[in-house]
Amino acid sequence: KAGVTQTPRYLIKTRGQQVTLSCSPISGHRSVSWYQQTPGQGLQFLFEYFSETQRNKGNFPGRFSGRQFSNSRSEMNVSTLELGDSALYLCASSPGQAGELFFGEGSRLTVL
Amino acid sequence: GNSVTQMEGPVTLSEEAFLTINCTYTATGYPSLFWYVQYPGEGLQLLLKATKADDKGSNKGFEATYRKETTSFHLEKGSVQVSDSAVYFCALSDRGAAGNKLTFGGGTRVLVKP
């Protein structure tokens, strides 16, 4: 069974640009969550989608948004990038809501 | 709100040494507790979990017991190997809330030397 796939793995952007990250969950998993990982703040929850609906949302500004498609694939978008948005963005899928998450390897975003 | 506190690393050990990583939590309700591990260059993997008080989660020689009275979920392994070098994250999920929103601790880096 294929794992969670995130693309792209690495990307470099400049301040003010926007970026879209993609996540393909494990087949059959309907829940997709996104986390931001930085050395200073650790792992912070961004949002969770289930059946194309946002089920949970973290404390991030509106520049961070996401969506989920009917095939459970998810994208997150960050607009008007800031230097502080440099991070590893992790996607995780889950078959239910018991907190057992299966993570992808992440998309490492560098903002210059 | 919910929070998880774990000991800061790095923790440096010799092979076959005993490993303990402390984790305490603050939560409303009765959370489920998890330990995730992140090997270099990889995403997180679920190591073990416990869903109610006094439950013991175990996997790959690692164990952790859900202690409600001390709000703790310490991770232990009796004899570590070089391959256990990784970053370990303690996390909780509020079972009273819908969905999979996890609150993570800051992570503890473990380095096992041969």
Side-chain angles (χ1 to χ4, degrees):
Chain A
K1 205 173 195 181
V4 177
T5 304
Q6 293 187 244
T7 57
R9 290 291 314 280
Y10 303 91
L11 65 168
I12 299 173
K13 295 286 186 179
T14 57
R15 279 181 299 174
Q17 287 187 309
Q18 74 166 10
V19 65
T20 299
L21 309 178
S22 180
C23 173
S24 293
I26 292 172
S27 178
H29 288 191
R30 295 165 65 190
S31 165
V32 175
S33 303
W34 289 88
Y35 289 80
Q36 181 195 66
Q37 185 177 24
T38 60
Q41 299 298 318
L43 278 157
Q44 293 187 287
F45 174 79
L46 281 156
F47 26 66
E48 180 201 9
Y49 288 87
F50 181 84
S51 294
E52 302 179 65
T53 300
Q54 189 178 83
R55 184 157 69 175
N56 282 295
K57 188 178 188 304
N59 298 321
F60 278 80
R63 300 186 297 107
F64 292 81
S65 62
R67 60 177 175 169
Q68 186 180 34
F69 302 94
S70 58
N71 62 358
S72 293
R73 190 177 69 87
S74 177
E75 290 181 347
M76 68 163 283
N77 184 78
V78 187
S79 62
T80 319
L81 284 166
E82 301 177 359
L83 295 179
D85 297 333
S86 295
L88 181 66
Y89 290 88
L90 292 166
C91 170
S93 72
S94 175
Q97 61 176 41
E100 295 186 38
L101 303 184
F102 295 78
F103 282 84
E105 294 180 320
S107 293
R108 184 166 296 281
L109 170 66
T110 301
V111 182
L112 302 177
Chain B
N2 298 335
S3 68
V4 176
T5 302
Q6 57 182 109
M7 60 190 290
E8 290 192 23
V11 175
T12 303
L13 303 164
S14 298
E15 217 168 12
E16 299 184 2
F18 185 87
L19 171 68
T20 299
I21 304 176
N22 291 338
C23 170
T24 57
Y25 67 89
T26 301
T28 54
Y30 302 95
S32 293
L33 301 174
F34 306 85
W35 277 100
Y36 281 82
V37 58
Q38 187 175 32
Y39 298 103
E42 299 183 12
L44 279 72
Q45 301 175 24
L46 177 64
L47 182 59
L48 53 83
K49 68 172 184 177
T51 59
K52 61 183 187 296
D54 299 325
D55 265 3
K56 178 186 283 189
S58 61
N59 186 26
K60 298 181 181 180
F62 290 89
E63 292 184 341
T65 301
Y66 189 143
R67 300 290 187 196
K68 184 181 173 186
E69 62 276 12
T70 55
T71 62
S72 65
F73 193 54
H74 305 322
L75 182 68
E76 297 181 336
K77 185 174 185 182
S79 177
V80 293
Q81 305 300 313
V82 172
S83 57
D84 294 324
S85 298
V87 182
Y88 293 81
F89 293 91
C90 185
L92 69 82
S93 173
D94 185 350
R95 290 189 295 139
N100 289 303
K101 181 179 179 180
L102 292 187
T103 300
F104 284 90
T108 301
R109 183 176 299 277
V110 173
L111 176 60
V112 181
K113 296 186 174 181

